[in-house]
Amino acid sequence: MKTIDELLSEGVAGRRVFVRADLNVPLDGTTITDDGRIRAVLPTVKALADAGAKVVVASHLGRPKGAPDPAFSLAPAATRLGELLGSAVAFATDTVGESARSTVADLADGQVAVIENLRFNAGETAKDDAERGAFADQLAALADVYVGDGFGAVHRKHASVYDLPARLPHAAGFLIATEVGVLKKLTADVQRPYVVALGGAKVSDKLAVIDQLLGKADRILIGGGMAYTFLKAKGHEVGISLLQEDQVPVVTEYIERAEKTGVELVLPVDVLVATEFPDLKTKAPANPTAVAADAIPADQEGLDIGPETRKLYASKLADAATVFWNGPMGVFEHPDYAEGTKAVAQALIDSPAFTVVGGGDSAAAVRLLGFDETAFGHISTGGGASLEYLEGKTLPGLAALED
């Protein structure tokens, strides 16, 4: 895989460099609530601009239906990118139309432009190879060189991620190089003990990675909504907690495998419960109750790990040499249910281990809860991409960057 350092050493002055970034930031209207993904691509964009390239930044945002939708415009991201760069960023109001062509044509050496949301064109996500390829051809006409740096999208077989690199000289940006380097530390020559903390809502989202980790991790801690399917598999009452009943058989099999292979699978010993889901807009006090994990009332819902589980999980992380964390321990967006996620984050900070926060909601929680990002070994920008890499899958966006 060619690196951006190699590309820069060859010279990019005056060349149009297409940077496939991941600017899929959360928005409240037109206000960006977390600019972490924009900051992550900044080193690549700045290095190219400083070297005299005409930089064309492209990304998706949200899930528009293959047509323009103002709610998913990249205009706020373009503005924020300009603020972080300290120079104006041009914005094209379409992807491959007149605005994109004229905006790119008007770029001077060292200038940066952002084109509109790639998913406003149905060809970006098309299942049909020809339709996707036709859109990639149009994107290729905007550039001389391709740099892949949107790690959060490399697990997608999309036109700008998979098809476009085949049409242009290509290289991996700084972010992708860093992400791949970190993930290799979790899959090859892992320093042990290797502890994994998994949370989030649905156990089905994590089954494949658990399947792989049962042969690689020394200890797996389970939290979040997915924990209740594990507790159900152990024969416990889970009340009205989030439960994927259809996944109980496979979870039961994983519990048995962990016992046979010597992987320590750690489940909550207590949880915070309430009769209804908290109001995340008003953050009104929820007044939860802590109960034993095997004694959840039939009319109550588990919404966070309890105080004893927080202590237990902190102790299980304390002696680790490598830690991977993906998924919050509870409804961290509400202060009454944020303590479990806080406890895991703090345990990672306190640990001497090499710590990786696996993107998605975990990364959002770190920032929302006010933790210093530099206190962690690495915070990934791609939750789904990180998990699929650990599952051993071939990621289309990475395969496309290989020569």
PDB file of all heavy atoms in Angstrom, residues 294-333:
ATOM      1  N   ASP A 294     -29.091 -10.735  38.337  1.00  0.00           N
ATOM      2  CA  ASP A 294     -29.996 -11.893  38.254  1.00  0.00           C
ATOM      3  C   ASP A 294     -31.325 -11.630  38.970  1.00  0.00           C
ATOM      4  O   ASP A 294     -32.089 -12.553  39.244  1.00  0.00           O
ATOM      5  CB  ASP A 294     -29.335 -13.143  38.828  1.00  0.00           C
ATOM      6  CG  ASP A 294     -28.950 -12.989  40.297  1.00  0.00           C
ATOM      7  OD1 ASP A 294     -29.145 -11.884  40.862  1.00  0.00           O
ATOM      8  OD2 ASP A 294     -28.460 -13.968  40.880  1.00  0.00           O
ATOM      9  N   ALA A 295     -31.594 -10.345  39.255  1.00  0.00           N
ATOM     10  CA  ALA A 295     -32.828 -10.001  39.976  1.00  0.00           C
ATOM     11  C   ALA A 295     -33.486  -8.751  39.389  1.00  0.00           C
ATOM     12  O   ALA A 295     -34.000  -7.898  40.125  1.00  0.00           O
ATOM     13  CB  ALA A 295     -32.524  -9.806  41.462  1.00  0.00           C
ATOM     14  N   ILE A 296     -33.479  -8.630  38.067  1.00  0.00           N
ATOM     15  CA  ILE A 296     -34.122  -7.488  37.418  1.00  0.00           C
ATOM     16  C   ILE A 296     -35.633  -7.685  37.489  1.00  0.00           C
ATOM     17  O   ILE A 296     -36.154  -8.713  37.047  1.00  0.00           O
ATOM     18  CB  ILE A 296     -33.676  -7.361  35.944  1.00  0.00           C
ATOM     19  CG1 ILE A 296     -32.159  -7.135  35.869  1.00  0.00           C
ATOM     20  CG2 ILE A 296     -34.414  -6.228  35.238  1.00  0.00           C
ATOM     21  CD1 ILE A 296     -31.592  -7.162  34.453  1.00  0.00           C
ATOM     22  N   PRO A 297     -36.376  -6.704  38.054  1.00  0.00           N
ATOM     23  CA  PRO A 297     -37.836  -6.841  38.138  1.00  0.00           C
ATOM     24  C   PRO A 297     -38.468  -6.961  36.751  1.00  0.00           C
ATOM     25  O   PRO A 297     -37.957  -6.404  35.773  1.00  0.00           O
ATOM     26  CB  PRO A 297     -38.267  -5.542  38.832  1.00  0.00           C
ATOM     27  CG  PRO A 297     -37.058  -5.096  39.592  1.00  0.00           C
ATOM     28  CD  PRO A 297     -35.896  -5.481  38.724  1.00  0.00           C
ATOM     29  N   ALA A 298     -39.566  -7.679  36.673  1.00  0.00           N
ATOM     30  CA  ALA A 298     -40.213  -7.958  35.390  1.00  0.00           C
ATOM     31  C   ALA A 298     -40.696  -6.705  34.677  1.00  0.00           C
ATOM     32  O   ALA A 298     -40.820  -6.694  33.454  1.00  0.00           O
ATOM     33  CB  ALA A 298     -41.383  -8.923  35.600  1.00  0.00           C
ATOM     34  N   ASP A 299     -40.961  -5.624  35.437  1.00  0.00           N
ATOM     35  CA  ASP A 299     -41.468  -4.391  34.824  1.00  0.00           C
ATOM     36  C   ASP A 299     -40.399  -3.314  34.702  1.00  0.00           C
ATOM     37  O   ASP A 299     -40.703  -2.145  34.492  1.00  0.00           O
ATOM     38  CB  ASP A 299     -42.657  -3.851  35.629  1.00  0.00           C
ATOM     39  CG  ASP A 299     -42.259  -3.428  37.046  1.00  0.00           C
ATOM     40  OD1 ASP A 299     -41.171  -3.852  37.516  1.00  0.00           O
ATOM     41  OD2 ASP A 299     -43.024  -2.669  37.682  1.00  0.00           O
ATOM     42  N   GLN A 300     -39.116  -3.704  34.829  1.00  0.00           N
ATOM     43  CA  GLN A 300     -38.027  -2.730  34.815  1.00  0.00           C
ATOM     44  C   GLN A 300     -37.088  -3.004  33.639  1.00  0.00           C
ATOM     45  O   GLN A 300     -36.983  -4.134  33.138  1.00  0.00           O
ATOM     46  CB  GLN A 300     -37.254  -2.797  36.127  1.00  0.00           C
ATOM     47  CG  GLN A 300     -38.116  -2.599  37.360  1.00  0.00           C
ATOM     48  CD  GLN A 300     -38.068  -1.193  37.901  1.00  0.00           C
ATOM     49  OE1 GLN A 300     -37.047  -0.533  37.856  1.00  0.00           O
ATOM     50  NE2 GLN A 300     -39.183  -0.731  38.440  1.00  0.00           N
ATOM     51  N   GLU A 301     -36.354  -1.949  33.256  1.00  0.00           N
ATOM     52  CA  GLU A 301     -35.429  -2.018  32.121  1.00  0.00           C
ATOM     53  C   GLU A 301     -34.019  -1.676  32.575  1.00  0.00           C
ATOM     54  O   GLU A 301     -33.799  -0.659  33.235  1.00  0.00           O
ATOM     55  CB  GLU A 301     -35.881  -1.028  31.035  1.00  0.00           C
ATOM     56  CG  GLU A 301     -34.974  -0.960  29.830  1.00  0.00           C
ATOM     57  CD  GLU A 301     -35.494   0.008  28.763  1.00  0.00           C
ATOM     58  OE1 GLU A 301     -36.440   0.769  29.045  1.00  0.00           O
ATOM     59  OE2 GLU A 301     -34.945  -0.021  27.651  1.00  0.00           O
ATOM     60  N   GLY A 302     -33.072  -2.531  32.235  1.00  0.00           N
ATOM     61  CA  GLY A 302     -31.686  -2.242  32.547  1.00  0.00           C
ATOM     62  C   GLY A 302     -31.117  -1.206  31.595  1.00  0.00           C
ATOM     63  O   GLY A 302     -31.252  -1.332  30.376  1.00  0.00           O
ATOM     64  N   LEU A 303     -30.458  -0.164  32.152  1.00  0.00           N
ATOM     65  CA  LEU A 303     -29.996   0.955  31.330  1.00  0.00           C
ATOM     66  C   LEU A 303     -28.527   1.309  31.538  1.00  0.00           C
ATOM     67  O   LEU A 303     -27.998   2.169  30.838  1.00  0.00           O
ATOM     68  CB  LEU A 303     -30.877   2.187  31.599  1.00  0.00           C
ATOM     69  CG  LEU A 303     -32.350   2.011  31.175  1.00  0.00           C
ATOM     70  CD1 LEU A 303     -33.229   3.037  31.843  1.00  0.00           C
ATOM     71  CD2 LEU A 303     -32.483   2.093  29.670  1.00  0.00           C
ATOM     72  N   ASP A 304     -27.861   0.638  32.475  1.00  0.00           N
ATOM     73  CA  ASP A 304     -26.421   0.855  32.684  1.00  0.00           C
ATOM     74  C   ASP A 304     -25.917  -0.243  33.608  1.00  0.00           C
ATOM     75  O   ASP A 304     -26.699  -0.877  34.330  1.00  0.00           O
ATOM     76  CB  ASP A 304     -26.171   2.234  33.316  1.00  0.00           C
ATOM     77  CG  ASP A 304     -24.705   2.659  33.274  1.00  0.00           C
ATOM     78  OD1 ASP A 304     -23.917   2.039  32.517  1.00  0.00           O
ATOM     79  OD2 ASP A 304     -24.334   3.614  33.992  1.00  0.00           O
ATOM     80  N   ILE A 305     -24.618  -0.480  33.571  1.00  0.00           N
ATOM     81  CA  ILE A 305     -24.050  -1.389  34.554  1.00  0.00           C
ATOM     82  C   ILE A 305     -24.063  -0.691  35.914  1.00  0.00           C
ATOM     83  O   ILE A 305     -24.006   0.532  36.006  1.00  0.00           O
ATOM     84  CB  ILE A 305     -22.625  -1.837  34.167  1.00  0.00           C
ATOM     85  CG1 ILE A 305     -21.693  -0.629  33.995  1.00  0.00           C
ATOM     86  CG2 ILE A 305     -22.643  -2.687  32.908  1.00  0.00           C
ATOM     87  CD1 ILE A 305     -20.237  -0.998  33.771  1.00  0.00           C
ATOM     88  N   GLY A 306     -24.145  -1.487  36.983  1.00  0.00           N
ATOM     89  CA  GLY A 306     -24.242  -0.929  38.320  1.00  0.00           C
ATOM     90  C   GLY A 306     -22.902  -0.669  38.973  1.00  0.00           C
ATOM     91  O   GLY A 306     -21.844  -0.961  38.399  1.00  0.00           O
ATOM     92  N   PRO A 307     -22.902  -0.136  40.205  1.00  0.00           N
ATOM     93  CA  PRO A 307     -21.656   0.250  40.884  1.00  0.00           C
ATOM     94  C   PRO A 307     -20.697  -0.915  41.141  1.00  0.00           C
ATOM     95  O   PRO A 307     -19.479  -0.747  41.036  1.00  0.00           O
ATOM     96  CB  PRO A 307     -22.142   0.879  42.200  1.00  0.00           C
ATOM     97  CG  PRO A 307     -23.565   0.423  42.363  1.00  0.00           C
ATOM     98  CD  PRO A 307     -24.093   0.239  40.992  1.00  0.00           C
ATOM     99  N   GLU A 308     -21.233  -2.101  41.472  1.00  0.00           N
ATOM    100  CA  GLU A 308     -20.348  -3.247  41.703  1.00  0.00           C
ATOM    101  C   GLU A 308     -19.713  -3.721  40.405  1.00  0.00           C
ATOM    102  O   GLU A 308     -18.545  -4.144  40.392  1.00  0.00           O
ATOM    103  CB  GLU A 308     -21.135  -4.380  42.375  1.00  0.00           C
ATOM    104  CG  GLU A 308     -21.623  -4.053  43.771  1.00  0.00           C
ATOM    105  CD  GLU A 308     -20.491  -3.592  44.682  1.00  0.00           C
ATOM    106  OE1 GLU A 308     -19.428  -4.251  44.694  1.00  0.00           O
ATOM    107  OE2 GLU A 308     -20.656  -2.565  45.365  1.00  0.00           O
ATOM    108  N   THR A 309     -20.466  -3.650  39.308  1.00  0.00           N
ATOM    109  CA  THR A 309     -19.911  -4.043  38.006  1.00  0.00           C
ATOM    110  C   THR A 309     -18.837  -3.057  37.571  1.00  0.00           C
ATOM    111  O   THR A 309     -17.829  -3.458  36.968  1.00  0.00           O
ATOM    112  CB  THR A 309     -21.024  -4.127  36.951  1.00  0.00           C
ATOM    113  OG1 THR A 309     -22.033  -5.027  37.415  1.00  0.00           O
ATOM    114  CG2 THR A 309     -20.488  -4.625  35.619  1.00  0.00           C
ATOM    115  N   ARG A 310     -19.044  -1.778  37.852  1.00  0.00           N
ATOM    116  CA  ARG A 310     -18.017  -0.784  37.514  1.00  0.00           C
ATOM    117  C   ARG A 310     -16.691  -1.140  38.190  1.00  0.00           C
ATOM    118  O   ARG A 310     -15.622  -1.096  37.568  1.00  0.00           O
ATOM    119  CB  ARG A 310     -18.456   0.609  37.964  1.00  0.00           C
ATOM    120  CG  ARG A 310     -19.603   1.210  37.187  1.00  0.00           C
ATOM    121  CD  ARG A 310     -20.008   2.543  37.787  1.00  0.00           C
ATOM    122  NE  ARG A 310     -21.462   2.661  37.841  1.00  0.00           N
ATOM    123  CZ  ARG A 310     -22.140   3.336  38.752  1.00  0.00           C
ATOM    124  NH1 ARG A 310     -21.493   3.965  39.732  1.00  0.00           N
ATOM    125  NH2 ARG A 310     -23.441   3.386  38.712  1.00  0.00           N
ATOM    126  N   LYS A 311     -16.759  -1.475  39.479  1.00  0.00           N
ATOM    127  CA  LYS A 311     -15.541  -1.853  40.206  1.00  0.00           C
ATOM    128  C   LYS A 311     -14.937  -3.133  39.616  1.00  0.00           C
ATOM    129  O   LYS A 311     -13.720  -3.240  39.442  1.00  0.00           O
ATOM    130  CB  LYS A 311     -15.875  -2.078  41.688  1.00  0.00           C
ATOM    131  CG  LYS A 311     -16.332  -0.838  42.437  1.00  0.00           C
ATOM    132  CD  LYS A 311     -16.724  -1.224  43.859  1.00  0.00           C
ATOM    133  CE  LYS A 311     -17.371  -0.057  44.589  1.00  0.00           C
ATOM    134  NZ  LYS A 311     -17.874  -0.463  45.930  1.00  0.00           N
ATOM    135  N   LEU A 312     -15.814  -4.100  39.332  1.00  0.00           N
ATOM    136  CA  LEU A 312     -15.346  -5.368  38.772  1.00  0.00           C
ATOM    137  C   LEU A 312     -14.637  -5.152  37.441  1.00  0.00           C
ATOM    138  O   LEU A 312     -13.529  -5.675  37.218  1.00  0.00           O
ATOM    139  CB  LEU A 312     -16.538  -6.306  38.585  1.00  0.00           C
ATOM    140  CG  LEU A 312     -16.266  -7.625  37.853  1.00  0.00           C
ATOM    141  CD1 LEU A 312     -15.318  -8.504  38.665  1.00  0.00           C
ATOM    142  CD2 LEU A 312     -17.575  -8.359  37.559  1.00  0.00           C
ATOM    143  N   TYR A 313     -15.256  -4.371  36.543  1.00  0.00           N
ATOM    144  CA  TYR A 313     -14.680  -4.158  35.224  1.00  0.00           C
ATOM    145  C   TYR A 313     -13.370  -3.371  35.318  1.00  0.00           C
ATOM    146  O   TYR A 313     -12.430  -3.641  34.568  1.00  0.00           O
ATOM    147  CB  TYR A 313     -15.681  -3.460  34.296  1.00  0.00           C
ATOM    148  CG  TYR A 313     -16.779  -4.388  33.788  1.00  0.00           C
ATOM    149  CD1 TYR A 313     -16.969  -5.641  34.350  1.00  0.00           C
ATOM    150  CD2 TYR A 313     -17.623  -4.016  32.750  1.00  0.00           C
ATOM    151  CE1 TYR A 313     -17.968  -6.499  33.900  1.00  0.00           C
ATOM    152  CE2 TYR A 313     -18.622  -4.871  32.285  1.00  0.00           C
ATOM    153  CZ  TYR A 313     -18.789  -6.110  32.867  1.00  0.00           C
ATOM    154  OH  TYR A 313     -19.772  -6.954  32.416  1.00  0.00           O
ATOM    155  N   ALA A 314     -13.310  -2.409  36.226  1.00  0.00           N
ATOM    156  CA  ALA A 314     -12.058  -1.663  36.409  1.00  0.00           C
ATOM    157  C   ALA A 314     -10.941  -2.607  36.847  1.00  0.00           C
ATOM    158  O   ALA A 314      -9.802  -2.499  36.370  1.00  0.00           O
ATOM    159  CB  ALA A 314     -12.253  -0.544  37.429  1.00  0.00           C
ATOM    160  N   SER A 315     -11.268  -3.549  37.718  1.00  0.00           N
ATOM    161  CA  SER A 315     -10.240  -4.502  38.180  1.00  0.00           C
ATOM    162  C   SER A 315      -9.820  -5.448  37.061  1.00  0.00           C
ATOM    163  O   SER A 315      -8.654  -5.848  36.987  1.00  0.00           O
ATOM    164  CB  SER A 315     -10.775  -5.303  39.375  1.00  0.00           C
ATOM    165  OG  SER A 315     -11.777  -6.231  38.974  1.00  0.00           O
ATOM    166  N   LYS A 316     -10.748  -5.790  36.177  1.00  0.00           N
ATOM    167  CA  LYS A 316     -10.448  -6.697  35.066  1.00  0.00           C
ATOM    168  C   LYS A 316      -9.636  -6.012  33.963  1.00  0.00           C
ATOM    169  O   LYS A 316      -9.045  -6.674  33.115  1.00  0.00           O
ATOM    170  CB  LYS A 316     -11.737  -7.260  34.471  1.00  0.00           C
ATOM    171  CG  LYS A 316     -12.545  -8.127  35.419  1.00  0.00           C
ATOM    172  CD  LYS A 316     -11.814  -9.410  35.785  1.00  0.00           C
ATOM    173  CE  LYS A 316     -12.673 -10.310  36.662  1.00  0.00           C
ATOM    174  NZ  LYS A 316     -11.962 -11.573  37.015  1.00  0.00           N
ATOM    175  N   LEU A 317      -9.615  -4.686  33.973  1.00  0.00           N
ATOM    176  CA  LEU A 317      -8.844  -3.920  32.990  1.00  0.00           C
ATOM    177  C   LEU A 317      -7.480  -3.503  33.538  1.00  0.00           C
ATOM    178  O   LEU A 317      -6.586  -3.147  32.780  1.00  0.00           O
ATOM    179  CB  LEU A 317      -9.624  -2.667  32.566  1.00  0.00           C
ATOM    180  CG  LEU A 317     -10.882  -2.925  31.718  1.00  0.00           C
ATOM    181  CD1 LEU A 317     -11.788  -1.687  31.711  1.00  0.00           C
ATOM    182  CD2 LEU A 317     -10.499  -3.286  30.294  1.00  0.00           C
ATOM    183  N   ALA A 318      -7.337  -3.546  34.854  1.00  0.00           N
ATOM    184  CA  ALA A 318      -6.148  -2.984  35.504  1.00  0.00           C
ATOM    185  C   ALA A 318      -4.847  -3.678  35.118  1.00  0.00           C
ATOM    186  O   ALA A 318      -3.798  -3.036  35.036  1.00  0.00           O
ATOM    187  CB  ALA A 318      -6.327  -3.021  37.019  1.00  0.00           C
ATOM    188  N   ASP A 319      -4.889  -4.996  34.887  1.00  0.00           N
ATOM    189  CA  ASP A 319      -3.645  -5.731  34.612  1.00  0.00           C
ATOM    190  C   ASP A 319      -3.418  -5.978  33.130  1.00  0.00           C
ATOM    191  O   ASP A 319      -2.517  -6.722  32.744  1.00  0.00           O
ATOM    192  CB  ASP A 319      -3.648  -7.065  35.363  1.00  0.00           C
ATOM    193  CG  ASP A 319      -4.702  -8.032  34.836  1.00  0.00           C
ATOM    194  OD1 ASP A 319      -5.634  -7.575  34.133  1.00  0.00           O
ATOM    195  OD2 ASP A 319      -4.604  -9.245  35.126  1.00  0.00           O
ATOM    196  N   ALA A 320      -4.245  -5.374  32.270  1.00  0.00           N
ATOM    197  CA  ALA A 320      -4.149  -5.627  30.831  1.00  0.00           C
ATOM    198  C   ALA A 320      -2.896  -5.009  30.229  1.00  0.00           C
ATOM    199  O   ALA A 320      -2.384  -4.001  30.710  1.00  0.00           O
ATOM    200  CB  ALA A 320      -5.382  -5.074  30.123  1.00  0.00           C
ATOM    201  N   ALA A 321      -2.406  -5.641  29.156  1.00  0.00           N
ATOM    202  CA  ALA A 321      -1.324  -5.058  28.366  1.00  0.00           C
ATOM    203  C   ALA A 321      -1.868  -4.447  27.081  1.00  0.00           C
ATOM    204  O   ALA A 321      -1.285  -3.520  26.523  1.00  0.00           O
ATOM    205  CB  ALA A 321      -0.283  -6.126  28.027  1.00  0.00           C
ATOM    206  N   THR A 322      -3.012  -4.977  26.617  1.00  0.00           N
ATOM    207  CA  THR A 322      -3.694  -4.463  25.425  1.00  0.00           C
ATOM    208  C   THR A 322      -5.188  -4.440  25.709  1.00  0.00           C
ATOM    209  O   THR A 322      -5.736  -5.417  26.241  1.00  0.00           O
ATOM    210  CB  THR A 322      -3.433  -5.364  24.197  1.00  0.00           C
ATOM    211  OG1 THR A 322      -2.026  -5.499  23.985  1.00  0.00           O
ATOM    212  CG2 THR A 322      -4.086  -4.784  22.941  1.00  0.00           C
ATOM    213  N   VAL A 323      -5.841  -3.327  25.370  1.00  0.00           N
ATOM    214  CA  VAL A 323      -7.291  -3.222  25.576  1.00  0.00           C
ATOM    215  C   VAL A 323      -7.949  -2.670  24.317  1.00  0.00           C
ATOM    216  O   VAL A 323      -7.492  -1.669  23.744  1.00  0.00           O
ATOM    217  CB  VAL A 323      -7.648  -2.294  26.759  1.00  0.00           C
ATOM    218  CG1 VAL A 323      -9.182  -2.185  26.897  1.00  0.00           C
ATOM    219  CG2 VAL A 323      -7.045  -2.797  28.057  1.00  0.00           C
ATOM    220  N   PHE A 324      -9.030  -3.323  23.903  1.00  0.00           N
ATOM    221  CA  PHE A 324      -9.885  -2.799  22.833  1.00  0.00           C
ATOM    222  C   PHE A 324     -11.269  -2.602  23.415  1.00  0.00           C
ATOM    223  O   PHE A 324     -11.849  -3.522  23.991  1.00  0.00           O
ATOM    224  CB  PHE A 324      -9.940  -3.777  21.655  1.00  0.00           C
ATOM    225  CG  PHE A 324     -10.914  -3.360  20.565  1.00  0.00           C
ATOM    226  CD1 PHE A 324     -10.633  -2.263  19.759  1.00  0.00           C
ATOM    227  CD2 PHE A 324     -12.091  -4.065  20.354  1.00  0.00           C
ATOM    228  CE1 PHE A 324     -11.534  -1.880  18.763  1.00  0.00           C
ATOM    229  CE2 PHE A 324     -12.981  -3.685  19.350  1.00  0.00           C
ATOM    230  CZ  PHE A 324     -12.701  -2.584  18.553  1.00  0.00           C
ATOM    231  N   TRP A 325     -11.795  -1.385  23.263  1.00  0.00           N
ATOM    232  CA  TRP A 325     -13.129  -1.068  23.799  1.00  0.00           C
ATOM    233  C   TRP A 325     -14.018  -0.585  22.666  1.00  0.00           C
ATOM    234  O   TRP A 325     -13.688   0.366  21.974  1.00  0.00           O
ATOM    235  CB  TRP A 325     -13.021   0.004  24.887  1.00  0.00           C
ATOM    236  CG  TRP A 325     -14.352   0.569  25.338  1.00  0.00           C
ATOM    237  CD1 TRP A 325     -15.536  -0.100  25.446  1.00  0.00           C
ATOM    238  CD2 TRP A 325     -14.611   1.915  25.749  1.00  0.00           C
ATOM    239  NE1 TRP A 325     -16.528   0.750  25.891  1.00  0.00           N
ATOM    240  CE2 TRP A 325     -15.994   1.981  26.082  1.00  0.00           C
ATOM    241  CE3 TRP A 325     -13.824   3.055  25.871  1.00  0.00           C
ATOM    242  CZ2 TRP A 325     -16.589   3.163  26.522  1.00  0.00           C
ATOM    243  CZ3 TRP A 325     -14.416   4.231  26.314  1.00  0.00           C
ATOM    244  CH2 TRP A 325     -15.776   4.276  26.640  1.00  0.00           C
ATOM    245  N   ASN A 326     -15.159  -1.254  22.489  1.00  0.00           N
ATOM    246  CA  ASN A 326     -16.127  -0.823  21.490  1.00  0.00           C
ATOM    247  C   ASN A 326     -17.532  -0.937  22.065  1.00  0.00           C
ATOM    248  O   ASN A 326     -18.000  -2.039  22.350  1.00  0.00           O
ATOM    249  CB  ASN A 326     -16.020  -1.672  20.220  1.00  0.00           C
ATOM    250  CG  ASN A 326     -16.985  -1.216  19.138  1.00  0.00           C
ATOM    251  OD1 ASN A 326     -18.160  -1.531  19.178  1.00  0.00           O
ATOM    252  ND2 ASN A 326     -16.484  -0.474  18.164  1.00  0.00           N
ATOM    253  N   GLY A 327     -18.185   0.200  22.243  1.00  0.00           N
ATOM    254  CA  GLY A 327     -19.575   0.216  22.687  1.00  0.00           C
ATOM    255  C   GLY A 327     -19.731   0.685  24.119  1.00  0.00           C
ATOM    256  O   GLY A 327     -19.046   0.192  25.025  1.00  0.00           O
ATOM    257  N   PRO A 328     -20.627   1.647  24.358  1.00  0.00           N
ATOM    258  CA  PRO A 328     -20.854   2.150  25.718  1.00  0.00           C
ATOM    259  C   PRO A 328     -21.496   1.111  26.620  1.00  0.00           C
ATOM    260  O   PRO A 328     -22.111   0.143  26.158  1.00  0.00           O
ATOM    261  CB  PRO A 328     -21.780   3.356  25.495  1.00  0.00           C
ATOM    262  CG  PRO A 328     -22.464   3.087  24.198  1.00  0.00           C
ATOM    263  CD  PRO A 328     -21.467   2.333  23.358  1.00  0.00           C
ATOM    264  N   MET A 329     -21.365   1.320  27.919  1.00  0.00           N
ATOM    265  CA  MET A 329     -21.898   0.388  28.909  1.00  0.00           C
ATOM    266  C   MET A 329     -23.362   0.648  29.241  1.00  0.00           C
ATOM    267  O   MET A 329     -24.022  -0.184  29.885  1.00  0.00           O
ATOM    268  CB  MET A 329     -21.073   0.463  30.196  1.00  0.00           C
ATOM    269  CG  MET A 329     -19.625   0.042  30.033  1.00  0.00           C
ATOM    270  SD  MET A 329     -19.430  -1.745  29.701  1.00  0.00           S
ATOM    271  CE  MET A 329     -18.971  -1.722  27.963  1.00  0.00           C
ATOM    272  N   GLY A 330     -23.861   1.809  28.852  1.00  0.00           N
ATOM    273  CA  GLY A 330     -25.242   2.167  29.147  1.00  0.00           C
ATOM    274  C   GLY A 330     -25.662   3.350  28.303  1.00  0.00           C
ATOM    275  O   GLY A 330     -24.981   3.728  27.344  1.00  0.00           O
ATOM    276  N   VAL A 331     -26.780   3.957  28.689  1.00  0.00           N
ATOM    277  CA  VAL A 331     -27.310   5.111  27.958  1.00  0.00           C
ATOM    278  C   VAL A 331     -26.523   6.344  28.403  1.00  0.00           C
ATOM    279  O   VAL A 331     -27.010   7.180  29.179  1.00  0.00           O
ATOM    280  CB  VAL A 331     -28.830   5.273  28.217  1.00  0.00           C
ATOM    281  CG1 VAL A 331     -29.413   6.359  27.322  1.00  0.00           C
ATOM    282  CG2 VAL A 331     -29.562   3.960  27.974  1.00  0.00           C
ATOM    283  N   PHE A 332     -25.289   6.442  27.909  1.00  0.00           N
ATOM    284  CA  PHE A 332     -24.347   7.452  28.405  1.00  0.00           C
ATOM    285  C   PHE A 332     -24.795   8.876  28.120  1.00  0.00           C
ATOM    286  O   PHE A 332     -24.309   9.830  28.735  1.00  0.00           O
ATOM    287  CB  PHE A 332     -22.957   7.220  27.798  1.00  0.00           C
ATOM    288  CG  PHE A 332     -22.872   7.539  26.325  1.00  0.00           C
ATOM    289  CD1 PHE A 332     -22.496   8.803  25.895  1.00  0.00           C
ATOM    290  CD2 PHE A 332     -23.172   6.578  25.369  1.00  0.00           C
ATOM    291  CE1 PHE A 332     -22.411   9.102  24.544  1.00  0.00           C
ATOM    292  CE2 PHE A 332     -23.107   6.867  24.022  1.00  0.00           C
ATOM    293  CZ  PHE A 332     -22.731   8.135  23.599  1.00  0.00           C
ATOM    294  N   GLU A 333     -25.727   9.056  27.178  1.00  0.00           N
ATOM    295  CA  GLU A 333     -26.189  10.410  26.834  1.00  0.00           C
ATOM    296  C   GLU A 333     -26.965  11.054  27.982  1.00  0.00           C
ATOM    297  O   GLU A 333     -27.144  12.268  28.003  1.00  0.00           O
ATOM    298  CB  GLU A 333     -27.080  10.373  25.587  1.00  0.00           C
ATOM    299  CG  GLU A 333     -26.391   9.822  24.335  1.00  0.00           C
ATOM    300  CD  GLU A 333     -26.574   8.332  24.173  1.00  0.00           C
ATOM    301  OE1 GLU A 333     -26.886   7.638  25.171  1.00  0.00           O
ATOM    302  OE2 GLU A 333     -26.392   7.841  23.040  1.00  0.00           O
TER     303      GLU A 333
END
